[in-house]
Every structure is written in structure tokens, then in C-alpha cells.
Amino acid sequence: MIDLRSDTVTEPTAAMRAAMAEAAVGDDVYGEDPTVNRLQSAVAELLGKEAALFVTSGTQSNLCALLSHCGRGDEYIVGDHAHCYMYEAGGGAVLGSIQPQPVPTGEDGMLDLEAASGAVKRRDHHFARTRLLCLENTIDGKVLCLEQMRASAEVAARHGLAHHLDGARMWNAAVALGVPPAEVASHFDSVSVCLSKGLGAPVGSLLAGSTDLIDEAHKWRKMLGGGLRQAGLVAAAGLYALEHHIERLADDHAKAARLAEGLAETDGVTVESCSTNMVFIRLEDALLHPQQDLRSALLERGVVSDWHGSRCRLVTHLDVSDADIDTAVSAFSDLIGAQ
Ligand SMILES: *Cc1c(COP(=O)(O)O)cnc(C)c1O
């Protein structure tokens, strides 16, 4: 199967599984898992931060960040399409009594900084206390450039806010920008990164920041039920991924560009955007009705796709080859041509 729904569908490679099998382990709740400790140090160093904490998921990582930066009755400013506003079940509000203040997101994925500035509440008993500004990079595959991140950091500093990056796919951003991950991370007080997306590990994310912040996050991770025991088994996959799967993200970006080019030549398909490893397409309205059939017809040709009405997001990753891209493009053009 050529599964283009997400870069989370990858399976650990044989070499990654071997690294997992050989991992030295200990009880990480006692802080005694050497592989987890190595992973945390490696990520802290890679991101230029004092410390990092291994957590179960990107959602848990963002939630630990929100809970560590903000207290009850505080507020975080966030783009209205951001994962940590839209797609994390309102965890900050539910578990932290933290109020989200969404602001509009532009076509380029950047939140409106003027709106963000305007949304900062003045000190007054009527208002929640604004504490934190959150960015996401990449967002829908789109890369925020260094200048945009710097400008956001300036707004945060001007208003005395902490600055958090949801960098689930920041590796893709760093590769696309051609800069070390630490350069991206340098604009933020805390950064959440995922190992289980483009990097191909089966489990895990890390939150990086100052020693004090990560100490606070450690307590929240415990409370959220995220304390793990011999987690070195999965941390080993993460270490392997950091070493072997970051630079190759450029291949995924090239495959996405190849896919977008092929689909752009298919009548009835509009490529709405293609950036890093994601391609967004839309079917012509006339083709909308058979869309359900298209999903199954693509599946019969071995292509797994996820549709929302006439729109589809296609994501390249470790388990998709150049030949798979060509197969997918042919499947689309045969099937849509045939409607
Ligand atoms: C996937 C994702 C998350 C959440 O990660 P999970 O491991 O699925 O909880 C957070 N932020 C962004 C931008 C993501 O893409």
C-alpha cells in the first residue's frame, strides 16, 4: 500500500528495530534509563536548550508546555488553525484552566502578529493574564521563515510573554530553510518536537527549554500519566531517527514536489499548495459526487488517501518511494480521466 494520509504511518526500519532491540534500559521514573537520558541530552543539544523531556506524544508535549508556562486563569495566544488550539481536545482549557486566545492565520500559515499584539490583555481584574504566544512550524506543511519567527519573538518579548513553538515537524522546517534545528529553536523559550512523524520513530516527542521549565514540565508529565518505565526501547528508535532520518527529509520534500507536478497535469485536479512533505489538492466541483468512489478506486490501486469533501492532503514520508509517487500519479490520472 502507498499510504499518503500522513507521515505518521511509517513503520520502524530494520536498522531502527535493531537499535531498539539492543537498547540499554532502566526505570525512567527513577531517571535511570540511560537511553532516555541520552535522547533527552541529544535533543537539548540539537535544539540549543538546557534540557529536554521525553513524552509520549506531541499532544502531551504541547500540554506540558502550556501547563508549565501558564497557570489557572492565564491565557495563551495562538493561531486559529494551530494544532494546540484546534486538535488537542482543548486540553489547556480542560486540564489547566488556561484560556486560548486565537488570532487569524494567513495563507502562509503565519498568525497575524498585529492581532496577537492587540489581543494581549492589559493588567486589569477583568481580564485573563496573557502569558504565552505559540507558533507552529511547519504548519500544513508550510514553512515559517526565520524573519517571521524573529518577528513573533519580538512581539512576545515586547509584551513579556513566553514564546512556544509547536515544532512537531520543525525538522522539516529546518531542512527546508537549510539551517540547523537550533537556529529555528533559538527564537523560542520552549520547543516541542515529534519523533513519530517524518523521522519515522514509532512513538515519542520531546519538549525542550530551560532547566526550570523542563523541571516543571516533568511534574506535569507525571500528573498526566506520562511517566514511563523502560522507555529506552522507544527512545532508542528516536536516537536512531535523529542520526539517520533528519537530512533525508529533503527526499520527502522532493517527492512531494514530484507528486504535485504530476497531479497538476491531471485534468480536474487543482494543486492548492505544496510545501515540504505535504500536497493539498482539490477536485473540480463536477467531480465532487464520485469522490467517495475515488477513494475506494484509489485504494484498489494501492493508494490510501484521506478526503475532506473535495479536498485531499497527501503526505510523503520514509515508506513512499519515487516509484510509488509515479504509481499514485498514474492512479489519479487514470481514475479521474475515467470519470
Ligand atoms: C501531530 C501534531 C501534534 C500532535 O502530535 P501527536 O503525537 O499526534 O499527539 C501537535 N502539533 C502538530 C503541529 C502536529 O502535526
Side-chain angles (χ1 to χ4, degrees):
M1 283 293 172
I2 304 166
D3 195 337
L4 297 172
R5 289 173 300 170
S6 178
D7 48 9
T8 55
V9 300
T10 54
E11 293 183 14
T13 62
M16 184 182 277
R17 284 172 194 257
M20 295 170 75
E22 287 160 13
V25 297
D27 189 333
D28 184 49
V29 173
Y30 289 113
E32 290 173 3
D33 189 302
T35 309
V36 170
N37 291 339
R38 259 207 306 140
L39 174 65
Q40 292 177 159
S41 302
V43 168
E45 191 180 331
L46 199 53
L47 300 181
K49 301 295 180 203
E50 287 173 3
L53 183 70
F54 187 45
V55 294
T56 57
S57 67
T59 300
Q60 190 175 69
S61 189
N62 281 330
L63 183 53
C64 283
L66 288 177
L67 291 166
S68 301
H69 285 295
C70 304
R72 184 165 187 239
D74 289 347
E75 172 184 82
Y76 68 108
I77 298 178
V78 61
D80 58 358
H81 295 177
H83 202 281
C84 70
Y85 170 58
M86 284 290 284
Y87 304 109
E88 296 178 9
V94 175
L95 300 168
S97 301
I98 305 159
Q99 164 170 288
Q101 167 62 68
V103 295
T105 311
E107 271 297 306
D108 60 356
M110 183 62 187
L111 57 75
D112 182 337
L113 282 181
E114 232 169 274
S117 264
V120 177
K121 315 288 184 284
R122 67 172 194 274
R123 277 302 185 105
D124 179 310
H125 292 157
H126 291 83
F127 301 130
R129 262 189 312 186
T130 313
R131 286 284 199 184
L132 176 69
L133 176 61
C134 298
L135 279 196
E136 182 176 320
N137 199 8
T138 65
I139 176 162
D140 287 338
K142 292 169 189 166
V143 180
L144 306 183
C145 68
L146 295 171
E147 192 42 56
Q148 287 171 311
M149 292 186 281
R150 193 175 301 127
S152 177
E154 275 169 20
V155 167
R158 184 155 15 105
H159 295 286
L161 309 179
H163 200 212
H164 172 69
L165 177 67
D166 178 357
R169 295 190 178 87
M170 79 94 79
W171 314 112
N172 298 79
V175 166
L177 290 167
V179 301
E183 192 163 341
V184 174
S186 69
H187 300 287
F188 301 91
D189 299 303
S190 58
V191 179
S192 169
V193 292
C194 285
L195 304 169
S196 58
K197 290 186 169 170
L199 297 197
V203 179
S205 288
L206 289 104
L207 180 66
S210 69
T211 307
D212 284 349
L213 188 87
I214 295 308
D215 189 52
E216 184 70 9
H218 202 145
K219 175 195 72 182
W220 290 115
R221 184 187 74 173
K222 184 69 198 161
M223 198 184 296
L224 295 170
L228 300 174
R229 303 295 179 179
Q230 286 71 32
L233 285 180
V234 277
L239 276 168
Y240 182 89
L242 291 177
E243 200 172 319
H244 299 279
H245 292 170
I246 295 183
E247 276 157 35
R248 65 151 302 286
L249 290 171
D251 301 345
D252 293 346
H253 301 174
K255 281 179 274 177
R258 183 186 178 107
L259 179 62
E261 264 171 45
L263 292 175
E265 284 167 16
T266 306
D267 283 341
V269 175
T270 303
V271 175
E272 294 193 318
S273 71
C274 169
S275 186
T276 61
N277 66 336
M278 292 191 189
V279 183
F280 286 81
I281 60 168
R282 185 168 49 78
L283 281 193
E284 248 171 41
D285 286 350
L287 296 170
L288 200 56
H289 176 63
Q291 172 258 310
Q292 192 59 39
D293 295 334
L294 182 58
R295 185 205 310 260
S296 345
L298 283 167
L299 200 56
E300 271 170 35
R301 303 271 302 244
V303 178
V304 190
S305 57
D306 198 9
W307 292 81
H308 298 275
S310 59
R311 287 190 159 80
C312 181
R313 182 187 82 164
L314 300 161
V315 187
T316 58
H317 50 74
L318 257 171
D319 293 353
V320 175
S321 67
D322 282 331
D324 291 340
I325 296 295
D326 297 340
T327 305
V329 170
S330 312
F332 267 94
S333 62
D334 292 353
L335 293 166
I336 293 174
Q339 306 241 357

